[in-house]
Amino acid sequence: MAQADIGVIGLGVMGANLALNIADNGYTVAVYNRTAARTEAFAAEAGRLADRVVASATLEDFVASLKSPRSVIIMVKAGDAVDEQVSALNALMEDGDIIIDAGNANFRDTMRRFEQRAQTAPGLIGMGVSGGAEGARHGPSIMVGGAQDDWRRIEPVVTAIAAKYKGEPCAAWLGENGAGHFVKTIHNGIEYADMQMIAEVYGVMRDHLNMDAPSIASVFSVWASGPLDSYLIDITAEVLKTHDASAGVAIVDVIVDAAGQKGTGRWSVIESQMMGVPATSIEAAVAARSLSAMREERKAAQDRFGLPPMVERREGNAIISDLENALLAGKIAAYAQGFAVMAAASKEFGWGLPLATIARIWRAGCIIRSRFLDEIATAFTENPEAPNLAMTPEFAAMLEKTDAPLRRIVSEAVLNGLPVPALASAVGYFDTYRRARGTANLIQAQRDFFGAHGFARSDMEGEQHGPWGE
Ligand code: NAP
């Protein structure tokens, strides 16, 4: 008998936690997983929520257990698995039902799925979910794309399971078709930059100031109650103070320095490049992860070149305070870039992305949640037409305070051979962005010289060419 309010397909880390979250909020949830043993284990472990879980071993039984009109969340590996599930569901569901892809889809796949959707098929929602396992269980940040009518149908359950920031749900409809998955991708791109800059600052403390992990943890703990207050700073302090009993050192000291990546950072960079909007800090962070994975090459290069000698080292509170401000300035660059990419995509795809709302639903539940995002939400609410976050009064003032420390940290790191590519990219970004007379005049001359591409002159109208080789 149909009894479930909503269904979840895929009981991996995210799907299982999301299903429990739904049940915890008073809804009856139908569950199905490709590998039936996982479904059985889930139902057996649902504990006090078992009454609100309807587990099925086949997709047919799963669909039949849902109240009509049906809503199904797919939370499986992104890519072909989603296409397979959508097509299997299309055969069992009908017009008026809704399929919600809640995985980390490439938004271009989501756009294609919308285009391929038949007139009379179930509705489709592309939903980005952030917050990891803990978020999925107790309240993630949820970014929704699709038809607004479909959103209204699922809004009660989605807002119920979402994180709350001062009582406000961190879930919103952001635009048609791929809007939700695009915003989730940029969220992750910003997350890459945020994490990389934190790692760079950690590197300065570890390799330049010779601080051990517990001492660095104490610095991050202090920063956690200042302007950098965020989930990522909190967990960094937590990670750094975690001792490994078997090795007798901080666990971070025995973790191999090769970072993994699954694609969303890279997609952010690709899309920013496609739209001609620079996202240099995100780019630097993605490149740094790729370089980190080249361990053997890095070892060989250190054997060949050694490390640069230390030429300058400031001590004490001055450099720690500069590191905090440099991190803040770097963050402004990364977020300014991420929001600029979203503004451009919004125009290109006709989404009308609400930037202030995006900042608001990122204030809780997601990995980049922070005090800073509350400030961004205010800045975009008060200055909806700002061309760049850095040009809003609040952030311009913050940059004025943090610009010199960022410069000092990057200079000191570069002089001493410490890699700070994301922080350095922030300096390059601001310095290029705020210089009215740049150096592209020379590039235009070169392009005209070798390719007759023409250039504009400041003292004449129309396209011009140089007298090269006359
Ligand atoms: P996971 O723990 O590895 O679980 C993967 C799930 O996908 C399993 O239920 C698996 O079923 C199913 N699956 C894989 N291939 C399938 C196929 N061809 N057909 C049907 N089902 C298939 O993954 P996860 O971490 O929950 O991630 C699920 C989605 O959420 C991904 O898109 C991921 O990028 C996204 N996401 C993850 C996080 C995170 O922190 N983990 C955060 C946000 C978003 P079987 O049991 O049969 O293998």
Side-chain angles (χ1 to χ4, degrees), residues 11-14 33-35 38 76-77 84-85 103-104 129:
L11 296 171
V13 175
M14 293 298 284
N33 190 75
R34 176 182 61 172
T35 308
R38 212 168 196 162
V76 302
K77 191 166 176 259
E84 288 162 21
Q85 291 305 314
N104 269 346
V129 177

Side-chain angles (χ1 to χ4, degrees), residues 343 347 355-356 379-389 391-393 433:
K347 282 200 190 114
L355 299 186
F380 279 126
T381 304
E382 289 171 2
N383 311 277
E385 302 303 327
N388 187 298
L389 182 66
M391 295 298 279
T392 62
Y433 184 72

Side-chain angles (χ1 to χ4, degrees), residues 215-231:
S215 314
I216 303 173
S218 307
V219 172
F220 279 108
S221 297
V222 173
W223 292 354
S225 45
L228 290 169
D229 173 6
S230 61
Y231 171 73

Side-chain angles (χ1 to χ4, degrees), residues 90 93-100 114 117 121-125 150:
N90 277 341
M93 292 168 72
E94 48 201 17
D95 201 9
D97 293 344
I98 300 174
I99 299 173
I100 304 146
F114 270 92
R117 194 186 149 258
L124 200 58
I125 291 270
D150 288 341

